[in-house]
Structure formats: structure tokens, C-alpha cells
Amino acid sequence: RFDLEAAVRAMVLGRLSCPGSERKVMAWLEGVELAGSERLRLQHLYRTLDVLALRFPEVERAYLGGLGRLVEVDASLCLLDTTSVSFHGEGPEGLAELGYSRDKRPDLRQMVLGVMTSSEGLPLGHVVLPGSTVDVEALVAEVEVLQERLPVGRPVLVFDRGMVSEQQLRELALDGWKYIAAARLRTKLTRAALARPGRYRTVAENLQVKEVKVKGGRPGERLVVCHNPLEAERDRKERERMVQKLQAMAGSGKGVPKELLRSAAARRYLKISGGTVRLDETRVKADARYDGKWVVRTNTALPPQEIAQRYKGLWRIERAFRTLKSPLEIHPLYHWTERRVRAHVGVCVLAYGMLRVVERLVEKAGLPMSGQEALRKLERMTVDDANVGGLGLRVRSDLTPEQKSIFAALRTTPPPRVEPLVANCLPAGP
């Protein structure tokens, strides 16, 4: 009995323009022209969330199918990661749980959001999991979503070191998946790879790579050592500052403050026995070998420099999480049932996908602005009602040169300059 598509459009566009609750969306609609939204009421938005919760896998598949008509999508590679979304309150049972908080709020209940993007950062899918879910479990759920929804063959999976176990890597390889993943630091494999001699090849100003072989490596797996000289210098200075601080405190006889011991580096570098505290010089020197370096594992046939660059592309999914949290404000959450929480997340992911499409098109057109800036400039358009000789007209403001260039970049036509009011077309009568 209401326009479901208009309700989805209102919530997605409202998330881009004025993020907040569904009540805020209704207030926003009072000041905008949005086709089909005239008869929407607050309860329609809530009911739309209920429908989306049941139908979102279909929506996401359709979205992926249409994405390629707007921008180029390289789905041959997929970036995967997870983040925490906190509840300020109890949240829905079975979803809101205590767990490892990426937002450093272990006191709040949370859910885990897993997002999968293309190499360009376009969202390919997402999963919503209970807040106590660990990354290795989230990876399984994300891979299942990819198998179900991607309209292409299996992509190369790219993920960080904490998301996968040795057993999972083995199972992924046996199941035919290709992957690029960082090796865990300070493991036997990483130490062996870093100890291997070889000449680095410069890929970029801040990236050097070399492929190495070690005894006992996994069959079919390759290791690429990556080195960032700029990051190495930052790591060295940070370690020296930490060591100086620890030396001063250890030598003072007053002990080390508890807040400092929360640092993983402090706990690694100190030896505490019999009430005395001293610096572990051996461990400090051993850690220097990791400065600006990391090891990437892969079972692909890609060249070492491309493997390193593909792995570094994970920053795009980190940016996706930052954008979802601010400015799209995926939390705080204003819903307390699981189905509406899941649908709310889906709306936020759709909004992020739309923003990335705008960014890609604006970038391709060479316009010096971000996607958000482009949308803000278009929002300055206005329409006013006018009466000319008894004829009701709707008149749009003149477009600025910037607005014209944005419409051209988005390959869409601006609203008509002048058009008759709908009331003029109604038949006469009571």
C-alpha cells in the first residue's frame, strides 16, 4: 500500500545527505524533491526495513549485476576485513555481544561487520555477525557470501594476518581459492623469510619487494618480503622513544606505571622478577629486524610486485569502514530488533556503494573533488513554485558550471529548468 522502492531510495539518499534515524529521514524529506516520497510515512520506512531484512541477498545480487553498467568493476580480486559496530544499550539478543572491539570500547556490546570490496573499493557484499565472532570465523562467512552472490568466478581473496588460521589457509587452497595474506609476525615462517638473503626490487618510493624460499614452506605457496623504508624509519624512532622511556622508569626504582604496561611493546621489552624491572636488550635488538617489513603469503602466480601492491590495497576497505562509521554514521543504532539492525546495515552499505560510484565517475571525469563534495554541490540546487497567467510552474535554479560538469560526469540529465505542476494536469471537478 506504499511505494517500497521510494522508501528504500529515501533511506539510502538520506544516509548520504543527512544520516540519522528514520525520523530524521522523514524530516529531511520535507525539504527535498524525491520522486515517490510524497506519501511516505514513518511506519513505511520501518516496514521497508522488515522487507529488506528478508530480501537483502536478492537486493545485493541485483546491485552487483547493475554496478558494471555504471563503472568498471574488477571482481577478479576481493578485499575482505571486519570491524566492530557498537550498541549503546542492550541491543538485540543473539547479535549484540561483548567481544574484541576494534573501536577500543570493550565495555559496549557490539556486532561484527564483515565487508568485501573489489580492488577499487566497491562493495561486493557484507555479513553481519554476533559481536563475539572472531575474525577466523568471520572469514568463513564472508567466503560463503562471495560464493553465493558474485556473478563471476572465484576472485583472489586478500585479507590481513589476523583473519585466517593455518588450517583455513589449507582448506581454502584445497577448495580451489587463491589468496594473498600477510604472514603473522614473529612466527618461525616470518623469521625464516626475513633471514633469507636477496636483493630487493623497488616498486615505488615507499615499497621494495623480494621473493624468498624457506624450508618447510607450504606446497604451492610463495613468500614475498616487503620493505617500506619510510615506515622502517618511523618504527625505529618509535622503538627508541619507548626504550628510552622504559630505561628511565626501570632505573628510577619506582616501577613502571600500569598504563604503560598496557602497551604490547612495553610488555615485550621488560623483564620483571623479584620486584625488579630491567630492559630485555636481546628482544629489543631482535625486533629491529621487523622495522618497516612484512611477509605476504600467496598461492597465486602473480609477480612479487603485484602481490605486494594488491595486499597494500587493503587500505581501501579500511577507508570503507571509516566512511561507514563517519560520515554515514552506521552507529549509533536506533533499532532494537535483529531484522531491523541487519536491514539498517544493508542500507548503509548501499549508500557507501553509491558514494563510491559517484567518486569513481567524478574521478574519471578529472574533476578536482571528492564524491561527497560533488553531492554537496548538487544539493545546492533549489526548486520553487511560480504562477504565470494562472498556470502553476515548478522552476529550478540555474546550474553553476560546476554542477553542469558534475551532471556530465555522472552521465545523467539534470531536472527540467521549468515544468508544469502536477496539479495543472488533474481533471476539473471537486
Side-chain angles (χ1 to χ4, degrees), residues 349-415:
V349 173
L350 285 177
Y352 177 72
M354 185 172 181
L355 180 60
R356 282 295 295 136
V357 168
V358 172
E359 286 176 346
R360 294 277 294 168
L361 292 173
V362 165
E363 181 182 315
K364 189 173 183 178
L367 301 183
M369 63 186 73
S370 68
Q372 285 177 296
E373 288 171 333
L375 293 177
R376 295 295 174 264
K377 292 178 188 296
L378 292 185
E379 284 179 355
R380 295 171 188 165
M381 287 188 303
T382 60
V383 291
D384 292 292
D385 294 344
N387 189 298
V388 180
L391 179 65
L393 298 175
R394 180 147 292 176
V395 183
R396 171 182 52 75
S397 59
D398 288 332
L399 296 180
T400 67
E402 267 191 327
Q403 288 171 336
K404 291 179 181 178
S405 64
I406 294 169
F407 274 114
L410 300 183
R411 306 169 194 165
T412 190
T413 306

Side-chain angles (χ1 to χ4, degrees), residues 8-19:
V8 175
R9 212 165 33 237
M11 288 190 289
V12 172
L13 297 179
R15 183 63 46 181
L16 285 168
S17 180
C18 185

Side-chain angles (χ1 to χ4, degrees), residues 115-288:
V115 173
M116 297 137 273
T117 76
S118 68
S119 56
E120 309 94 347
L122 292 160
L124 301 177
H126 78 282
V127 292
V128 177
L129 303 166
S132 61
T133 306
V134 296
D135 280 347
V136 291
E137 295 172 349
L139 179 66
V140 174
E142 290 179 293
V143 170
E144 289 174 352
V145 167
L146 285 175
Q147 285 180 306
E148 176 190 350
R149 297 186 193 173
L150 274 188
V152 297
R154 291 185 174 184
V156 175
L157 307 178
V158 184
F159 40 82
D160 218 339
R161 59 178 63 89
M163 288 199 67
V164 68
S165 66
E166 287 293 326
Q167 178 64 24
Q168 281 180 316
L169 280 180
R170 188 178 301 110
E171 290 174 359
L172 284 172
L174 289 174
D175 202 26
W177 289 93
K178 300 296 184 182
Y179 59 81
I180 297 173
R184 293 177 183 270
L185 289 175
R186 301 180 181 89
T187 62
K188 182 178 179 181
L189 179 70
T190 304
R191 289 194 298 270
L194 293 177
R196 296 295 297 171
R199 180 174 297 178
Y200 283 103
R201 175 183 299 177
T202 300
V203 178
E205 181 183 2
N206 62 343
L207 181 61
Q208 301 171 349
V209 301
K210 65 177 178 180
E211 185 171 351
V212 299
K213 295 182 179 180
V214 299
K215 291 182 179 180
R218 184 188 301 282
E221 188 175 78
R222 300 158 59 208
L223 299 178
V224 177
V225 179
C226 307
H227 180 230
N228 182 335
L230 301 178
E231 190 68 28
E233 183 64 15
R234 285 193 290 268
D235 289 346
R236 183 185 65 80
K237 290 181 178 179
E238 179 62 30
R239 187 178 59 259
E240 287 179 352
R241 281 195 295 269
M242 174 64 74
V243 167
Q244 288 175 0
K245 186 181 293 186
L246 293 174
Q247 282 177 327
M249 290 181 175
S252 68
K254 297 180 180 179
V256 181
K258 290 183 179 179
E259 58 270 18
L260 186 61
L261 286 176
R262 294 194 186 103
S263 162
R267 293 195 298 271
R268 279 184 55 77
Y269 295 157
L270 290 178
K271 282 188 174 181
I272 305 174
S273 60
T276 62
V277 181
R278 63 185 181 85
L279 197 67
D280 189 336
E281 298 282 358
T282 303
R283 187 163 282 180
V284 172
K285 291 179 180 177
D287 272 8

